[in-house]
Amino acid sequence: MAILLCPVALHAQTPPAKAPAFATGQDDGQWTTPARNFASTRYSELAEINADNVKNLQVAFTFSTGVNRGQEASPLVVGGTMYVLSPYPNILYALDLTKPGAPLKWSYKPKPEAASQGVACCDVVNRGPTFGQGRVFFTTLDDHAVAVDAETGKEAWKVKLGDINLGETMTAAPLVVKDKVIVGISGGEFGVRGWLQALDAATGRSVWKAYSTGPDSDVKIGPNFKPFYDSDKGKDLGVSTWPPDAWKQGGGTTWGFTSYDPDLNLIYYGTGNPGPWNSMQRPGDNKWTAGIFARDADTGEARWFYQTTPHDLFDWDGINESVLVDVEWKGQTRKALVHPDRNGLVYLIDRTSGEVLSASFYHPVNTHHGVDLKTGRLMDDSSKAPVLDKVVRDICPTAPGAKDWSPSSFSHKTGLLYIPHNNLCMDWENSQVSYIAGTPYIGAEARMFPAPGDGHMGELSAWDIVNGKEAWTVNEQFPVWGGTLATAGDLVFYGNMQGWFKAVDARSGALLWQFKADSGIIGQPTTYKGPDGKQYVAILAGVGGWAGAIVAGDLDPRDGTAAMGFVNAMRELKNATTKGGTLYVFRLP
């Protein structure tokens, strides 16, 4: 493991980013939502475990989910109970933290349709439950949103929101905002038309639904929609920026994380890639895919949109997390969001207006030259544009982007963003494809491989948000496919795909502790204060997801096109780890 140190000077006139006031305060020791707070900082103010003593961390208890597929969920803690959600069949477990070994209190088994596994693009994952109003909310692979009583595990409601026969699945973690549960849809590789929906937390009834493509009435664009850039202004762009009727299978699915500013009453989320991957079949900007929406939380009404990748050429979903921060920018305090995108840029955006303040490269890129800040548009390099039935070689970054779904964390102490990401390139070939409901709608073939250099395919980078530069980087053999956790103990926790769960120094990246789990880690670490007053750290191990499909799906390493080209890069993963599904919880002696 190499650590590349790139010291960044923080000048007096540009102090580091800060967490918004609504995301700070005394830590209650719980972890009730995957992103920890509405700002999605994934930061804990607990500091019993710190840079000095983390080397003594040891296993407190373990728990098997009984499912050996990709474990992408975050363990939640509410009071004296931990909640763990498995991949398909989406079993929710409640563990009693007040008793030795945290025995099982109850389990809830929603029994999703087995056929849903056949339309899961990239493993049968789930990104976790969330808590609110005395209930635990989560989604199932076969398109149900579920609410169960947090104390008893009794089902409160269960509603069907999609159709697996159309290729629709649900894998995203919900977010509770006031009396609503925000949920999204997956299935962009099947020509699914994306949407975000708010459900009444008490009943599961739909309160509003906003599509990612189509006429303004469907997208919930009205008189209060005021995007910053001219290219996002106009009537019914969700139709006119597509060939006739192509928006109906246009993608823009919403399987990432949602953030919320209670002061502005706005939610922020990303929309996925347009369909199909073959961009030649969909000339135009393909609104409102591959970008970021700000919406009124009560009504779903769109306030602004920014398209990170107009006319997406390479499956660069905009679903990655938006972390809400406040920054001093050119002498003014700006309410902002920071968004590390698949296109290789970290965006700093004014979250009140959608104006891009900066867009800085965090990955080697040869497909574009960055953003024109006057127009907000990506400046493409035409030499890497796809060609029908011809292989275009050495495209960087690759289809899962410089960074896929794996969520970053932001330290309220250091002001740095900790980004888990990829270091991959690819060869790409477009081909003609027809839409058939419930079948893959891709029209391109990718073969991925390590980016030029020493062959490492993953990195953990500490990012100076205001100055737009790396502070330090840790290289990993395989993509860093799970999330990160930052704590007041000056620590960053993350796992790698070989199964090492690590703690590094938040200021230098130096490795301070590691533990070898039974399987590769693609989950989201969390930390909490137990009933005994001690701090604990939890992580689910279990390799899978798109990057780990070669192991979780037992794919043939000789087939470089398998898992939509990811197997070409991940052949050695089968020699580095095995399937698994285990919760690990750690504490100091």
Side-chain angles (χ1 to χ4, degrees):
M1 179 183 67
I3 301 175
L4 306 180
L5 296 178
C6 306
V8 174
L10 299 179
H11 303 295
Q13 67 270 27
T14 55
K18 295 182 179 180
F22 60 79
T24 63
Q26 186 65 36
D27 199 317
D28 62 6
Q30 301 185 107
W31 196 286
T32 62
T33 185
R36 179 63 180 89
N37 50 44
F38 285 141
S40 297
T41 61
R42 288 180 166 81
Y43 173 81
S44 171
E45 295 171 6
L46 299 179
E48 179 195 358
I49 301 170
N50 57 52
D52 292 328
N53 61 25
V54 68
K55 62 181 180 293
N56 299 319
L57 216 56
Q58 61 187 31
V59 175
F61 66 89
T62 63
F63 176 80
S64 173
T65 67
V67 181
N68 289 336
R69 297 302 294 252
Q71 312 279 335
E72 290 188 351
S74 54
L76 301 185
V77 172
V78 182
T81 304
M82 176 179 285
Y83 301 94
V84 178
L85 184 64
S86 82
Y88 175 92
N90 305 129
I91 304 168
L92 180 67
Y93 298 100
L95 308 181
D96 190 346
L97 299 176
T98 68
K99 297 179 180 179
L104 183 68
K105 290 177 67 173
W106 52 258
S107 62
Y108 170 81
K109 300 178 181 179
K111 299 180 180 178
E113 292 183 59
S116 62
Q117 299 172 88
V119 290
C121 143
C122 317
D123 199 8
V124 293
V125 299
N126 189 290
R127 296 179 185 91
T130 196
F131 171 82
Q133 302 183 14
R135 292 174 174 174
V136 179
F137 303 92
F138 66 99
T139 59
T140 65
L141 193 65
D142 68 343
D143 302 309
H144 288 79
V146 185
V148 302
D149 183 275
E151 185 59 34
T152 66
K154 182 180 179 181
E155 182 182 297
W157 50 257
K158 181 180 179 183
V159 294
K160 185 178 181 180
L161 300 174
D163 184 353
I164 61 173
N165 294 312
L166 299 177
E168 294 176 321
T169 53
M170 295 183 76
T171 59
L175 179 70
V176 177
V177 174
K178 295 190 280 190
D179 59 350
K180 298 175 182 64
V181 183
I182 311 298
V183 294
I185 194 75
S186 305
E189 277 61 55
F190 288 80
V192 168
R193 183 187 178 203
W195 50 254
L196 196 77
Q197 194 162 175
L199 309 177
D200 182 278
T203 65
R205 176 183 60 87
S206 180
V207 178
W208 57 257
K209 183 177 184 179
Y211 285 95
S212 303
T213 65
D216 288 351
S217 57
D218 287 3
V219 187
K220 298 191 75 67
I221 287 176
N224 292 321
F225 180 63
K226 298 177 181 179
F228 190 84
Y229 297 101
D230 290 343
S231 59
D232 295 319
K233 298 174 182 177
K235 183 175 175 57
D236 293 327
L237 296 184
V239 174
S240 63
T241 59
W242 294 84
D245 292 332
W247 57 268
K248 295 179 180 179
Q249 297 87 41
T253 49
T254 51
W255 50 278
F257 295 95
T258 302
S259 303
Y260 172 60
D261 184 330
D263 298 330
L264 300 175
N265 197 36
L266 295 180
I267 58 172
Y268 305 90
Y269 69 97
T271 58
N273 60 285
W277 282 14
N278 181 355
S279 56
M280 302 172 73
Q281 292 185 220
R282 45 174 174 79
D285 275 0
N286 309 136
K287 306 292 188 191
W288 303 94
T289 65
I292 302 168
F293 264 116
R295 294 187 180 275
D296 183 283
D298 295 329
T299 66
E301 183 182 50
R303 292 294 181 83
W304 59 259
F305 176 86
Y306 173 70
Q307 194 165 32
T308 51
T309 309
H311 185 60
D312 176 18
L313 301 177
F314 302 116
D315 184 40
W316 287 344
D317 304 51
I319 61 88
N320 290 358
E321 71 284 353
S322 291
V323 180
L324 309 189
V325 296
D326 292 342
V327 297
E328 294 297 320
W329 192 260
K330 297 182 179 179
Q332 293 183 327
T333 300
R334 305 287 287 264
K335 296 178 182 290
L337 64 81
V338 57
H339 171 87
D341 197 79
R342 283 168 78 155
N343 66 20
L345 297 171
V346 177
Y347 289 84
L348 183 63
I349 299 175
D350 186 308
R351 68 178 183 269
T352 67
S353 67
E355 178 188 4
V356 176
L357 305 180
S358 67
S360 306
F361 288 97
Y362 71 103
H363 181 278
V365 173
N366 62 13
T367 49
H368 63 80
H369 304 288
V371 173
D372 180 339
L373 293 181
K374 292 182 179 180
T375 64
R377 292 187 69 85
L378 205 63
M379 298 180 289
D380 292 323
D381 187 327
S382 60
S383 69
K384 294 297 181 181
V387 178
L388 190 65
D389 298 325
K390 179 181 178 181
V391 177
V392 180
R393 301 197 182 278
D394 300 322
I395 292 169
C396 306
T398 187
K403 175 188 174 301
D404 205 284
W405 76 277
S406 312
S408 309
S409 59
F410 172 75
S411 171
H412 300 190
K413 283 185 68 176
T414 68
L416 297 174
L417 185 74
Y418 301 97
I419 307 173
H421 61 104
N422 311 321
N423 186 44
L424 296 165
C425 298
M426 66 179 175
D427 296 336
W428 179 281
E429 181 179 6
N430 273 1
S431 58
Q432 196 72 18
V433 64
S434 298
Y435 174 74
I436 302 173
T439 64
Y441 186 51
I442 296 176
E445 182 176 286
R447 289 176 184 256
M448 306 177 202
F449 48 83
D454 64 5
H456 74 279
M457 292 183 282
E459 298 180 7
L460 171 68
S461 297
W463 188 261
D464 176 352
I465 294 168
V466 176
N467 290 300
K469 295 181 179 180
E470 284 183 356
W472 51 257
T473 297
V474 176
N475 293 343
E476 292 285 354
Q477 180 181 354
F478 297 106
V480 184
W481 204 255
T484 65
L485 160 69
T487 75
D490 278 334
L491 296 171
V492 178
F493 290 91
Y494 76 104
N496 70 21
M497 296 190 74
Q498 297 100 307
W500 288 102
F501 186 46
K502 301 184 179 185
V504 298
D505 188 292
R507 299 180 185 276
S508 70
L511 179 63
L512 302 176
W513 170 86
Q514 60 181 342
F515 174 88
K516 186 65 165 62
D518 67 344
S519 180
I521 295 171
I522 60 169
Q524 306 168 55
T526 57
T527 188
Y528 66 94
K529 183 183 291 185
D532 59 0
K534 301 291 187 180
Q535 183 184 359
Y536 293 76
V537 179
I539 185 66
L540 277 166
V543 78
W546 190 6
I550 184 173
V551 178
D554 197 23
L555 303 180
D556 189 339
R558 295 170 296 180
D559 182 4
T561 67
M564 295 180 292
F566 225 141
V567 164
N568 196 63
M570 303 298 289
R571 289 187 173 96
E572 290 303 312
L573 188 61
K574 274 196 169 184
N575 299 323
T577 191
T578 58
K579 298 180 184 181
T582 303
L583 168 75
Y584 291 88
V585 179
F586 304 89
R587 56 161 288 182
L588 295 171

